[in-house]
Amino acid sequence: MKKARLTKINSYNKWLTVFAMGCIFCVNCDAEMDSRAVLRVRADKIVARVSPLHAGLMTEEINNSFDGGLYAELLRDRAMNGGLRATDGALGSWSMVPNVRGGAGIALDLGDPISSAVPTSMRIDAQTASSTERVGIANSGFWGVPVRANTRYRLSFYAKTAEGFSGALVASIESDDGSVVYCRRNISVGSGSWNRYEANLDTSEGILPTENARLVIATEHPVTFWLALVSLFPPTWNNRPNGNRVDLMKKLAELHPKFLRFPGGGCLSGRTEDTRFDWKKTLGPLPNRAGHATPWDQWTTDGMGLLEFLEWCEDLRLEPVLGVWAGQSGSVELPAGAPLEPFVQDALSEIEYVSGDASTRWGARRAADGHPAPFKLTYVEIGNEDGKPGYSARFAQFYDAIKARYPALQMIATGRMVYKGVETLAGDRVKSRVPDILDEHYYNETKDFLAEASQYDHYDRNGPKVFVGEWATIEGSPTPNLHAALGDAAWMIGMERNSDIVIMQAYAPLFVNVNSPFMGWNTSLIGYDSLNSYGSPSYYAQVMFNEHRGDEILEAPLQVVPGLFTSVTRDSQTGSIIIKAVNTRETLCRVRIETLGTEPLAPNGMQIVLTGKTDDTNSIEHPKKIVPVESELNGVGASFEHEFPGNSISVLVLDPRK
Ligand code: AHR
């Protein structure tokens, strides 16, 4: 029955898969294969349309993705409670200045907090301070505070001093040993009770960029003072006060993503109900946000809260894909029915916060938080990788309540999970309702993705659409190498060719701070330290493919080329034909490309190629070792020969003759 539903494109690809799987690594027969290799592009046969939302982003707090990553805050443990709750010592990133105690001392103080969500402050006893021996505290950031020339850093903190003091604290950004001061500022502080202070710290010309710096706040007068919620922001994307790191946003923009799935992943569910992403606790001014432990052994400040995720969508024009907690955390699940109902209502409130106008209760709260305009919301996902027996019933409870109030919303159920070629969660767990979309996850090695690159050619076209919400070749650490990128690209080609059913897909995880001791996942797309960032070969493969997507999928059988994977689309606006190819063989692959049923092609097109040694990768030190190279493609015609280099990912653009 299933077979009868397959489209035409799928039957020829099925044949190809069987052939290719038999001899993927058969290098000896390369020459013979090449002489018969033909890619026949039927430009008059559009087999499907490329989904307009096809490629997007999946994100969560893992590997210091936000704190110490995209969220631009430069200070770690800014609320001074990380040390109490995380695993890296009582003071976390804080230390005393000078580091020889003498008559001075610092201590965490739980009395008289600035808010119930931020219960801790730092008490600094500085009775020995003088104009030649300041006393205060330093923060070394997320493994180094980054400094650049001609840059404004926005400092804010809460402070109080012992009664009777009036004077200034001195804030400075300086080298980690204090020998070089990049900028400093006196900030007058009052006495007695908490006040919030803000100051700009401006660097001048001529500073060589460094990540080996720290922030110091100190006194040069004898006094006891307290500091709480100390924050330092560099310039942010779109100048948002609680915003995102510019270099990372730029890298995301260059991926041309169409949607953002948040807040996880494992971070949606948490290890326990208490540590799930509890969206209400991530709203409003920072003193209201307590932060929470993630399932990846990292503390998050929740500075990246629900509104910040939505503003990220706004900044990059992304469709939000909102994950709502579905009653499962770790190995514990709530039963469907009355125990689950408060959380169903909570999800309805969350949807209202996102998309309700300012006259609704939660829309009004969003307006009060600074964003009166509602966000467009179309996709809501119920849970993440939820494999508990009760999921089907819980899904039904959410589905019915959400569809009753928001009939236009598309409901996503969590579907298959495959890890290293083994299905760890089956895809047909939801029997109670038919979800609009099923979210499938694949973490594989290259060989698994090559073997399964055509799996969607055979999917049922009458069932739910598919969102491949998490996928990645897990080879290379902390970011993938070229071998992984080959697997990723072959997998992407299969998803693009079938994007009538795979309507959305996103690589995961997106980010890794390469210095993080809380690295929850070995292989992530984009790496960074506090100063610099780089894209992995897999990142560049996605940039290449997403920049040249096309919107019409053309019939294009590929004959007799094991180890070569192709997809052909056309841009209906320009008429350009786009060929994506991955040659996973060591040796070059010569292919005759025939285009039938099209206007004459310009003799010169364009090619972009990503290639190198399979274990090569990019890094902070060598960010551009493997990058795409663009060049003119000569000799294009109705039938021409092209050589795809060994271990390469290519995009060919064939333009119509003017
Ligand atoms: O991407 C890392 C994790 O992998 C996600 O949090 C989870 O959904 C999956 O198991």
Side-chain angles (χ1 to χ4, degrees), residues 58 60 62-63 261 264-268 295-296 384-385 417 419 439 441 443 470-471 507-510 520-521 523-524:
M58 183 276 171
E60 68 175 322
I62 186 171
N63 310 321
R261 172 174 173 243
C267 279
L268 171 69
W296 306 110
N384 172 65
E385 289 181 2
M417 160 66 169
Y419 189 80
D439 176 5
H441 296 179
Y443 292 100
E470 297 179 24
W471 62 267
Y507 185 104
L510 191 55
W521 204 260
T523 313
S524 306

Coordinates of all heavy atoms in Angstrom, one line a residue, residues 58 60 62-63 261 264-268 295-296 384-385 417 419 439 441 443 470-471 507-510 520-521 523-524, ligand 1:
M58 N 18.0 25.4 15.0 CA 17.5 24.8 16.3 C 18.5 25.3 17.4 O 19.7 25.4 17.2 CB 17.6 23.3 16.2 CG 17.0 22.6 17.4 SD 18.2 22.5 18.7 CE 17.3 21.9 20.1
E60 N 19.3 25.9 21.8 CA 19.1 25.7 23.2 C 20.4 26.0 24.0 O 21.4 26.2 23.4 CB 18.7 24.3 23.5 CG 19.8 23.2 23.3 CD 19.3 21.8 23.7 OE1 18.6 21.7 24.7 OE2 19.7 20.9 23.0
I62 N 23.2 25.0 25.5 CA 24.1 23.8 25.6 C 25.5 24.3 25.2 O 25.6 25.2 24.3 CB 23.6 22.7 24.7 CG1 24.4 21.4 24.8 CG2 23.6 23.1 23.2 CD1 23.8 20.2 24.1
N63 N 26.5 23.8 25.7 CA 27.9 24.2 25.3 C 28.2 25.7 25.5 O 28.9 26.3 24.7 CB 28.2 23.9 23.9 CG 27.9 22.5 23.4 OD1 28.1 21.5 24.2 ND2 27.4 22.4 22.2
R261 N 13.8 27.2 16.0 CA 13.2 26.3 17.0 C 13.8 26.5 18.4 O 15.0 26.4 18.5 CB 13.3 24.8 16.6 CG 12.8 23.8 17.6 CD 12.8 22.4 17.1 NE 12.5 21.5 18.2 CZ 13.3 20.6 18.7 NH1 14.5 20.4 18.1 NH2 13.0 19.8 19.7
G264 N 14.5 24.4 23.1 CA 15.3 23.1 23.1 C 14.4 22.0 22.5 O 13.2 22.4 22.2
G265 N 14.9 20.9 22.3 CA 16.0 20.2 22.9 C 15.7 19.8 24.4 O 14.7 20.1 25.0
G266 N 16.8 19.2 24.9 CA 16.8 18.8 26.3 C 16.4 19.9 27.2 O 15.9 19.7 28.3
C267 N 16.8 21.2 26.8 CA 16.5 22.3 27.7 C 15.0 22.6 27.8 O 14.7 23.3 28.8 CB 17.3 23.5 27.2 SG 19.0 23.5 27.7
L268 N 14.2 22.2 26.9 CA 12.8 22.4 27.0 C 12.3 21.6 28.2 O 11.6 22.1 29.1 CB 12.1 22.0 25.8 CG 10.5 22.0 25.9 CD1 10.0 23.4 26.0 CD2 9.9 21.4 24.7
P295 N 19.9 20.6 31.7 CA 20.3 19.2 31.7 C 21.7 19.0 31.2 O 22.2 17.9 31.3 CB 19.3 18.6 30.8 CG 18.8 19.6 29.9 CD 18.9 20.9 30.7
W296 N 22.4 20.0 30.7 CA 23.7 19.9 30.2 C 24.8 20.4 31.2 O 25.9 20.8 30.9 CB 23.9 20.7 28.9 CG 22.8 20.3 27.9 CD1 21.8 21.0 27.5 CD2 22.7 19.0 27.3 NE1 21.0 20.3 26.6 CE2 21.5 19.1 26.5 CE3 23.4 17.8 27.3 CZ2 21.1 18.0 25.7 CZ3 23.0 16.8 26.5 CH2 21.8 16.9 25.7
N384 N 9.7 17.4 23.5 CA 11.0 17.1 22.8 C 11.4 15.7 23.0 O 11.5 15.3 24.2 CB 12.1 18.0 23.2 CG 13.4 17.6 22.6 OD1 13.6 17.7 21.3 ND2 14.4 17.1 23.4
E385 N 11.6 14.9 22.0 CA 12.1 13.5 22.1 C 11.3 12.8 23.2 O 12.0 12.2 24.1 CB 13.6 13.5 22.3 CG 14.3 13.9 21.0 CD 15.8 13.8 21.1 OE1 16.3 13.4 22.2 OE2 16.5 14.1 20.1
M417 N 13.8 9.2 16.6 CA 15.1 9.6 17.0 C 16.1 8.5 16.6 O 15.9 7.4 16.9 CB 15.1 9.9 18.5 CG 16.5 9.8 19.1 SD 17.6 11.2 18.6 CE 18.9 11.1 19.7
Y419 N 20.1 7.5 16.4 CA 21.5 7.8 16.9 C 22.4 6.7 16.4 O 22.3 5.5 16.6 CB 21.5 7.8 18.4 CG 22.8 8.4 19.0 CD1 23.0 9.7 19.1 CD2 23.8 7.5 19.4 CE1 24.2 10.2 19.6 CE2 25.0 8.0 19.9 CZ 25.2 9.4 20.0 OH 26.4 9.9 20.5
D439 N 8.4 15.7 14.1 CA 9.8 16.2 14.3 C 10.7 15.0 14.4 O 10.6 14.2 15.4 CB 9.8 17.1 15.5 CG 11.2 17.5 15.8 OD1 12.2 17.2 15.0 OD2 11.4 18.2 16.9
H441 N 14.6 13.3 14.6 CA 16.0 13.7 14.9 C 17.0 12.6 14.5 O 16.8 11.4 14.7 CB 16.1 13.9 16.4 CG 15.3 15.0 16.9 ND1 15.2 15.4 18.3 CD2 14.5 15.9 16.3 CE1 14.4 16.4 18.4 NE2 14.0 16.7 17.2
Y443 N 21.2 11.9 14.7 CA 22.6 12.1 15.0 C 23.4 10.9 14.5 O 23.3 9.8 15.1 CB 22.8 12.3 16.5 CG 22.2 13.6 16.9 CD1 20.9 13.7 17.6 CD2 22.8 14.9 16.7 CE1 20.4 14.9 18.0 CE2 22.3 16.1 17.1 CZ 21.0 16.1 17.7 OH 20.5 17.2 18.1
E470 N 16.3 18.1 14.3 CA 17.7 18.1 14.8 C 18.4 17.0 13.9 O 17.9 15.9 13.8 CB 17.8 17.6 16.2 CG 17.2 18.6 17.2 CD 17.2 18.1 18.7 OE1 18.1 17.3 19.0 OE2 16.4 18.6 19.4
W471 N 19.5 17.4 13.3 CA 20.3 16.4 12.6 C 21.8 16.9 12.6 O 22.0 18.1 12.7 CB 19.8 16.2 11.2 CG 19.9 17.4 10.3 CD1 18.9 18.3 10.1 CD2 21.0 17.9 9.6 NE1 19.3 19.3 9.3 CE2 20.6 19.1 8.9 CE3 22.3 17.5 9.4 CZ2 21.5 19.9 8.1 CZ3 23.2 18.2 8.6 CH2 22.7 19.4 7.9
Y507 N 20.1 21.8 11.6 CA 21.2 21.2 12.3 C 21.2 21.4 13.8 O 20.8 22.5 14.2 CB 22.5 21.8 11.7 CG 23.8 21.1 12.1 CD1 24.5 20.3 11.2 CD2 24.4 21.4 13.3 CE1 25.7 19.7 11.6 CE2 25.6 20.9 13.7 CZ 26.2 20.0 12.8 OH 27.4 19.5 13.2
A508 N 21.8 20.5 14.6 CA 21.9 20.8 16.0 C 23.1 20.0 16.6 O 23.4 18.9 16.0 CB 20.6 20.3 16.7
P509 N 23.7 20.5 17.6 CA 23.6 21.9 18.2 C 24.2 22.9 17.3 O 25.2 22.6 16.5 CB 24.2 21.8 19.5 CG 24.4 20.4 19.9 CD 24.6 19.7 18.5
L510 N 23.8 24.1 17.5 CA 24.2 25.2 16.7 C 25.6 25.8 17.1 O 26.4 26.2 16.3 CB 23.2 26.3 16.8 CG 23.1 27.5 15.9 CD1 23.2 27.1 14.5 CD2 21.9 28.4 16.2
G520 N 28.3 20.1 26.5 CA 27.3 19.0 26.7 C 27.3 18.1 25.4 O 26.7 17.0 25.5
W521 N 27.9 18.5 24.4 CA 27.7 17.8 23.1 C 29.0 17.9 22.3 O 29.6 19.0 22.3 CB 26.6 18.4 22.3 CG 26.0 17.5 21.3 CD1 26.3 17.4 19.9 CD2 25.0 16.5 21.5 NE1 25.5 16.4 19.3 CE2 24.8 15.8 20.3 CE3 24.4 16.0 22.7 CZ2 23.8 14.8 20.2 CZ3 23.5 15.0 22.6 CH2 23.2 14.4 21.3
T523 N 29.9 17.6 19.0 CA 30.1 18.2 17.6 C 29.0 19.2 17.4 O 27.8 18.9 17.4 CB 29.9 17.0 16.6 OG1 30.7 15.9 17.0 CG2 30.3 17.5 15.2
S524 N 29.4 20.5 17.3 CA 28.4 21.6 17.1 C 28.9 22.5 15.9 O 30.0 22.5 15.6 CB 28.3 22.4 18.3 OG 28.0 21.6 19.4
Ligands
AHR1 O1 21.2 18.7 20.3 C1 21.5 18.1 21.5 C2 20.4 17.2 22.1 O2 20.2 16.1 21.3 C3 19.1 17.9 22.1 O3 18.9 18.7 23.3 C4 18.1 16.7 22.2 O4 16.9 17.0 21.7 C5 18.8 15.7 21.5 O5 18.8 14.5 22.1

